[in-house]
Amino acid sequence: MTDQDILLHKTLKDYFGYEQFRPLQKEIITSLINGEDNLVIMPTGGGKSICYQLPAILLEGLTLVISPLIALMKDQVDALNANGIPAAFVNSSQSTTENTDIIERVKKGAIKLLYLAPESLAFFEQLSQVCKISLIAVDEAHCISSWGHDFRPAYTQLSFLKKRLPNTPLVALTATADKATREDIANQLDISDAKRNISSFNRANLSLEVRPAQDRVTQIVDFVKSKPKESGIVYCLSRKQTEQLADRLKKNGFKAAAYHAGLPADVRSKTQENFIHDTTPIICATIAFGMGIDKSNVRWIIHYNLPKNIEGYYQEIGRAGRDGLDSETILFHSYADVIQLRRFAEGSGQQEVQLAKLDRMLQYAEATSCRRNILLSYFGETATEKCGNCDVCNHPPTFFDGTVIAQKVLSGIFRLQENEPLNVVVDFLRGSQNAAILDKNYQLLKTYGVAKDIAWKDLQQYMIQLINQGFFEIAFHQNNTLKLNELSKEVLFNGMKVSLTKPVDFVKADTKTPQKNSKPENNLFERLRVLRLELATAKGLAAYHVFTDATLKAIANERPVTDEDFLEIEGVGQKKLQDYGYDFITEIIKFNKEKVVKPVKKKRGKSDSHLETYEFYKKGLSIEEIAKERGLTPNTIQSHFVKLYNDGIKIDLSDFVSAKEIEAVRDAQTKVENPKALKSYFDYFNEQLDYAAIKMALVVIENEK
Ligand code: ADP
Ligand code: MG
Ligand code: ZN
């Protein structure tokens, strides 16, 4: 490793808590530090932010980040500050005093990253006068292209950035893969020579599943029931659907809310906030929801309707599982949606393109081979191995000879003179006696009722399969009536064989026993989750800004009880160790004592480190001396003492904290804002008592009980 490599890894661990770069991150970061422009294409959740946040820490001067949404800026700035990286944002909603204050801080070099909405670009001139701008990042860069799916006119002004600062590296980032948009971005931002960094679009932790839309509300209720406490989003096509579904979920006892562009701005931002803070874990939304949200613990995404293209679909499911943990996605497929989407597409400016995209979406929804491979090939990647994490891989369809069913269906269409849509044909074949049949005396025709032995749902499914295989067609322009074609004749008159697949009963299949509602006090993860929420609430942060679910799981599994071990957890950097380490370690120790659980054996043999510290202690060395001797931080040595003490080894903690201080802390316990958070004591004592002393005092008090 070169010195630069070592520095990059150290910065990644110290500030973000991660051990390794994801593919391309290091290349992009190195290239930006070397002053080159970059165009970064990575899927949603792929890890684009670190590509400019890490260089921002290392470069002198300021990194300017252009980002389209206020909610996104605030979330990112909160996350950065929680990692000890000074950042701020400017948007049109702020007052002049706030803005002057930011200029002052920038002048002093007290801000490393400044987020700016494209509407606030006027601010740029002021900034460039008071500081050196070392790097410019344009996030969600597809917003600049009218070919992209989320065009924002204000973004087109960004072309002047490169003209004003031709020597400052500029990085444009987006999850939009299509080539036309990509090149449009590079041209408009005037970085046509930029290095292209295109990462794989595979998000292996997302499971993929498509289900027929019948009974979808019941299916959704059952699904959500099986995942209490988990966050998810249901995307719907219409505002009304979002509200109806949210109501239905609320009636079933879930915390859910609707979100769409027709709601007042304050309601929308409140809903978004409640989602981020896990108070409302389920959102039923139109596509307007989600781009501004980097919530890392979204565990599932449901598409109530078929999306209009694969780009949008992939971006939406990409909002699940940013923390890398397994997450589920379900798409409900119905022909009514296809009909409606076709109508939208036909009314749009780019009819041909839109219809072609819809067709690709349909092919995906109706696939009988690995779905992930279809997605990846759409994004230009070749994948041949089956993924093992999609419904087709997990339950390969079982085919049977469906020739007789096909013949019955096609004769039915013929008898009805190709004049009826799908559901009337189903009714007719099943011998229904409703108005659609009786008004036209269809009950008198031949083939009426020939398929009464097949359930309504199943027959509809078979007919959809027949359409997909091209055995007859839907005339979208003629009230969606069904029409026969050449292939129909082959089946009816020339003995052509047809294969169909058995429909799966999802409602039944999904009624697995819901996850046991394990009592929080019996489960370390749950207890740590509660602690995380308390700490986050006290600081006005989202829980995942304290630790992501992935990090919390790692803590619960590894059960670190020293600072050293705590720091080894993926997702724990220096700042988070300092802010939260003690609180989490205390909770783990308490849990271990109650359960008399043996601490998890460490692979790397660091678990005896505290015993080595003990040897020095017995020789009479102070914390500082031992730290120096062992090449560790005083904090770590202190955590060793805490562990020794908790293990019942004779350590006199009063060597490190006076009796008077212990009494002061005991007294403070009933007065501080949050008696579980070290920081509360620190503030309470006006920073006069250091963290180490508070920590020791609390350990002594805890052990007296
Ligand atoms: P994007 O902007 O590409 O949608 P983000 O930058 O928000 O994605 O990153 C998604 C998640 O991945 C975040 O929770 C981030 O902290 C995490 N992440 C990024 N890089 C790494 C890494 N090298 N190791 C582990 N997690 C990472
Ligand atoms: Mg992003
Ligand atoms: Zn698969």
Side-chain angles (χ1 to χ4, degrees):
M1 274 217 266
T2 62
D3 285 355
Q4 165 114 335
D5 271 1
I6 294 169
L7 178 64
L8 295 186
H9 278 99
K10 184 169 165 15
T11 314
L12 182 70
K13 179 62 196 170
D14 283 355
Y15 286 93
F16 300 95
Y18 299 131
E19 306 290 339
Q20 264 158 4
F21 285 104
R22 290 197 181 150
L24 290 184
Q25 284 179 331
K26 197 161 86 182
E27 289 81 346
I28 295 163
I29 291 167
T30 308
S31 165
L32 288 174
I33 291 178
N34 292 338
E36 295 166 336
D37 296 330
N38 272 258
L39 177 58
V40 174
I41 320 283
M42 265 186 206
T44 309
K48 290 186 281 297
S49 320
I50 281 181
C51 297
Y52 57 82
Q53 290 171 346
L54 198 151
I57 299 168
L58 295 178
L59 292 167
E60 54 160 342
L62 185 74
T63 290
L64 198 62
V65 186
I66 312 292
S67 166
L69 290 173
I70 296 173
L72 184 79
M73 291 191 238
K74 183 170 165 3
D75 193 59
Q76 296 240 347
V77 167
D78 280 351
L80 285 165
N81 290 335
N83 277 327
I85 305 164
F89 62 90
V90 173
N91 67 56
S92 48
S93 69
Q94 276 159 325
S95 65
T96 10
T97 14
E98 278 173 302
N99 289 347
T100 324
D101 178 52
I102 286 173
I103 288 282
E104 279 311 309
R105 282 160 65 203
V106 168
K107 220 188 226 166
K108 279 193 249 148
I111 293 179
K112 290 305 293 179
L113 286 112
L114 187 68
Y115 283 72
L116 203 62
E119 291 80 6
S120 310
L121 268 184
F123 211 69
F124 175 85
E125 293 304 333
Q126 265 173 287
L127 280 173
S128 57
Q129 277 161 25
V130 299
C131 73
K132 173 175 158 76
I133 296 177
S134 319
L135 173 65
I136 300 172
V138 178
D139 207 356
E140 312 288 350
H142 58 276
C143 293
I144 202 172
S145 175
S146 53
W147 300 339
H149 50 87
D150 192 23
F151 176 55
R152 282 161 197 259
Y155 256 65
T156 54
Q157 300 167 30
L158 300 179
S159 55
F160 94 101
L161 288 171
K162 197 70 207 175
K163 291 192 185 70
R164 274 286 279 103
L165 297 176
N167 297 321
T168 303
L170 191 149
V171 56
L173 310 101
T174 176
T176 301
D178 87 84
K179 217 165 169 198
T181 312
R182 205 189 287 169
E183 292 313 307
D184 196 22
I185 294 170
N187 288 333
Q188 290 206 51
L189 288 175
D190 211 358
I191 51 163
S192 0
D193 293 335
K195 243 179 105 180
R196 291 354 184 216
N197 294 287
I198 301 158
S199 84
S200 166
F201 268 62
N202 192 8
R203 294 276 316 276
N205 63 323
L206 304 182
S207 73
L208 306 169
E209 183 177 357
V210 178
R211 298 182 184 183
Q214 290 139 346
D215 302 325
R216 58 190 142 181
V217 177
T218 318
Q219 291 195 54
I220 292 171
V221 171
D222 285 348
F223 176 82
V224 175
K225 226 180 252 169
S226 71
K227 341 214 138 310
K229 297 187 189 151
E230 293 191 348
S231 271
I233 308 172
V234 188
Y235 285 108
C236 305
L237 209 53
S238 77
R239 297 175 180 183
K240 207 165 129 210
Q241 277 165 341
T242 65
E243 287 175 3
Q244 286 172 341
L245 188 62
D247 280 346
R248 198 42 203 277
L249 288 170
K250 278 189 265 183
K251 282 207 186 90
N252 277 279
F254 301 108
K255 290 184 187 143
Y259 183 103
H260 57 71
L263 294 168
D266 55 330
V267 175
R268 272 185 288 152
S269 63
K270 188 75 201 147
T271 303
Q272 183 153 318
E273 188 134 312
N274 288 341
F275 182 61
I276 289 178
H277 290 258
D278 292 332
T279 357
T280 312
I282 302 170
I283 304 291
C284 306
T286 53
I287 47 163
F289 184 76
M291 181 159 108
I293 294 179
D294 272 356
K295 185 173 165 63
S296 65
N297 63 343
V298 177
R299 287 273 75 86
W300 53 266
I301 301 281
I302 291 177
H303 281 86
Y304 190 85
N305 305 95
L306 189 78
K308 42 177 198 283
N309 55 49
I310 289 186
E311 285 95 338
Y313 168 68
Y314 204 58
Q315 200 150 57
E316 282 151 19
I317 61 172
R319 289 176 188 139
R322 278 169 185 269
D323 52 14
L325 297 183
D326 286 347
S327 306
E328 290 173 72
T329 77
I330 300 176
L331 184 161
F332 286 107
H333 177 22
S334 89
Y335 256 79
D337 290 344
V338 178
I339 290 165
Q340 190 172 9
L341 287 169
R342 287 195 80 93
R343 217 178 294 132
F344 288 161
E346 280 159 4
S348 78
Q350 310 151 295
Q351 172 165 331
E352 246 167 74
V353 181
Q354 307 282 6
L355 285 174
K357 289 193 167 189
L358 179 58
D359 275 346
R360 296 292 295 271
M361 189 69 231
L362 262 176
Q363 283 164 14
Y364 169 81
E366 286 154 4
T368 49
S369 63
C370 175
R371 290 195 208 276
R372 194 172 317 268
N373 290 350
I374 295 178
L375 284 179
L376 292 178
S377 81
Y378 184 83
F379 293 118
E381 289 174 47
T382 38
T384 43
E385 299 268 303
K386 288 180 183 167
C387 80
N389 197 17
C390 76
D391 53 346
V392 182
C393 283
N394 291 338
H395 310 281
T398 37
F399 291 92
F400 66 94
D401 182 353
T403 312
V404 175
I405 295 176
Q407 286 166 345
K408 287 177 178 173
V409 168
L410 297 173
S411 318
I413 297 172
F414 175 74
R415 295 289 168 193
L416 296 177
Q417 300 185 350
E418 303 176 65
N419 249 335
E420 295 295 342
L422 195 128
N423 42 354
V424 177
V425 178
V426 177
D427 281 343
F428 172 73
L429 291 168
R430 294 197 67 255
S432 303
Q433 308 207 340
N434 56 26
I437 302 295
L438 302 179
D439 286 356
K440 294 185 183 164
N441 274 327
Y442 284 161
Q443 75 280 14
L444 306 176
L445 299 178
K446 258 195 165 157
T447 67
Y448 172 72
V450 284
K452 20 171 159 3
D453 54 321
I454 304 174
W456 205 96
K457 282 199 282 192
D458 292 352
L459 186 56
Q460 187 197 36
Q461 267 314 108
Y462 293 141
M463 288 183 63
I464 289 169
Q465 290 181 28
L466 290 168
I467 296 173
N468 297 338
Q469 296 182 51
F471 288 110
F472 65 93
E473 283 154 30
I474 298 183
F476 292 107
H477 302 278
Q478 297 166 37
N479 299 321
N480 309 309
T481 49
L482 305 185
K483 306 287 180 197
L484 301 176
N485 59 20
E486 288 306 310
L487 269 189
S488 323
K489 288 184 200 143
E490 291 297 315
V491 177
L492 284 173
F493 310 115
N494 293 332
M496 187 173 183
K497 293 263 178 238
V498 176
S499 282
L500 292 172
T501 66
K502 284 228 159 60
V504 183
D505 193 343
F506 289 99
V507 177
K508 245 187 229 147
D510 212 53
T511 43
K512 313 168 217 158
T513 31
Q515 285 176 6
K516 271 202 202 104
N517 247 335
S518 47
K519 281 199 196 125
E521 59 271 23
N522 290 330
N523 175 330
L524 181 59
F525 179 76
E526 283 309 324
R527 272 168 60 160
L528 297 181
R529 204 217 279 268
V530 171
L531 174 64
R532 175 178 70 172
L533 188 63
E534 278 175 12
L535 294 171
T537 314
K539 285 197 168 186
L541 289 175
Y544 62 86
H545 286 147
V546 173
F547 289 125
T548 63
D549 280 9
T551 302
L552 204 65
K553 275 215 172 114
I555 298 174
N557 288 338
E558 298 284 323
R559 299 189 182 158
V561 289
T562 65
D563 285 8
E564 239 174 330
D565 290 341
F566 200 78
L567 197 56
E568 282 204 359
I569 303 281
E570 181 86 353
V572 180
Q574 290 296 345
K575 173 88 166 119
K576 291 199 173 166
L577 170 68
Q578 187 193 315
D579 284 357
Y580 311 118
Y582 171 81
D583 303 308
F584 279 83
I585 289 175
T586 310
E587 190 68 23
I588 292 167
I589 291 173
K590 214 162 116 205
F591 179 85
N592 283 347
K593 274 196 182 151
E594 284 165 26
K595 303 277 154 226
V596 206
V597 202
K598 290 197 196 82
V600 178
K601 272 268 176 296
K602 282 277 160 240
K603 282 177 234 115
R604 303 185 209 178
K606 276 199 182 164
S607 58
D608 292 342
S609 185
H610 63 294
L611 295 177
E612 216 170 301
T613 293
Y614 184 47
E615 293 306 315
F616 286 102
Y617 169 78
K618 284 193 289 192
K619 289 182 198 154
L621 274 66
S622 71
I623 290 190
E624 277 71 24
E625 286 163 344
I626 300 174
K628 212 162 157 211
E629 200 64 39
R630 298 204 55 203
L632 296 168
T633 66
N635 258 337
T636 302
I637 302 301
Q638 190 197 14
S639 74
H640 290 165
F641 283 122
V642 173
K643 174 148 174 49
L644 290 164
Y645 187 84
N646 278 316
D647 284 354
I649 295 173
K650 265 188 85 69
I651 292 277
D652 193 358
L653 288 190
S654 60
D655 283 0
F656 307 108
V657 59
S658 72
K660 218 171 121 201
E661 284 165 340
I662 297 175
E663 285 324 302
V665 171
R666 194 195 308 279
D667 178 58
Q669 277 188 311
T670 51
K671 296 176 183 152
V672 295
E673 197 177 327
N674 181 358
K676 279 195 176 164
L678 220 48
K679 174 116 182 27
S680 284
Y681 293 91
F682 191 62
D683 293 342
Y684 177 83
F685 291 114
N686 287 324
E687 310 183 3
Q688 293 304 306
L689 197 57
D690 61 24
Y691 275 105
I694 301 169
K695 214 187 224 181
M696 290 293 193
L698 286 171
V699 173
V700 174
I701 296 166
E702 180 63 29
N703 272 278
E704 288 169 358
K705 286 180 194 160

